[in-house]
Amino acid sequence: MAATVATPVSPPEHEPDRCGSEEESRGAEAEEESSQQQGGPAAAVTHSRLSKLPLARIKALMKTDPDVSLASQESVFIIAKATELFVEMIAKDAMVYAQQGKRKTLQRKDLDNAIEAIDEFAFLEGTLD
């Protein structure tokens, strides 16, 4: 059985409102690749290559929830990808505030500003206190 290898796509530098379309295209690529794969250990190896976060640690975190008794590899992978996309989105939005301050390093105040300014992050208000 031949395994496919995903190659990372580097996005162009200056496109402010492309997060949604990029996320959708990445999701479609991941679905195509996973649909070409058959189940078993090869699928788990492919998932770990597509995810930047450690799947074993995510699975352990998922199991700390008393409502979760079993977690399939696919569900762990989906949670990992969703987390990656969330972190990427909030970091990009916070980076806008860092650039407004003529800085290249994100600071906590940049995250606070992004959380306050963007309605999608309203559920995070007060979590960094």
Side-chain angles (χ1 to χ4, degrees):
M1 168 173 40
T4 59
V5 178
T7 56
V9 178
S10 58
E13 285 293 319
H14 301 289
E15 290 186 31
D17 291 325
R18 61 171 176 65
C19 291
S21 62
E22 179 181 331
E23 291 168 3
E24 292 170 4
S25 65
R26 285 185 185 171
E29 291 172 6
E31 286 177 355
E32 289 174 10
E33 290 176 12
S34 64
S35 67
Q36 294 173 355
Q37 295 290 325
Q38 294 185 6
V45 171
T46 303
H47 285 315
S48 66
R49 290 182 186 159
L50 293 175
S51 175
K52 296 174 187 170
L53 298 174
L55 298 180
R57 186 165 295 176
I58 290 174
K59 187 171 187 172
L61 286 170
M62 288 172 67
K63 286 192 170 190
T64 61
D65 185 351
D67 295 334
V68 177
S69 58
L70 295 173
S72 68
Q73 283 299 106
E74 290 81 11
S75 65
V76 174
F77 174 72
I78 294 297
I79 296 292
K81 279 312 271 189
T83 303
E84 286 177 23
L85 293 173
F86 171 75
V87 169
E88 180 182 344
M89 188 167 116
I90 196 168
K92 283 180 180 179
D93 292 335
M95 190 62 183
V96 170
Y97 292 100
Q99 289 172 344
Q100 287 176 354
K102 295 183 173 58
R103 290 178 281 108
K104 293 183 180 180
T105 305
L106 286 180
Q107 296 177 353
R108 180 184 166 153
K109 63 183 176 182
D110 300 321
L111 288 171
D112 287 337
N113 289 336
I115 289 170
E116 290 175 12
I118 299 170
D119 292 337
E120 294 172 344
F121 300 139
F123 71 96
L124 292 172
E125 288 183 6
T127 57
L128 294 178
D129 295 335

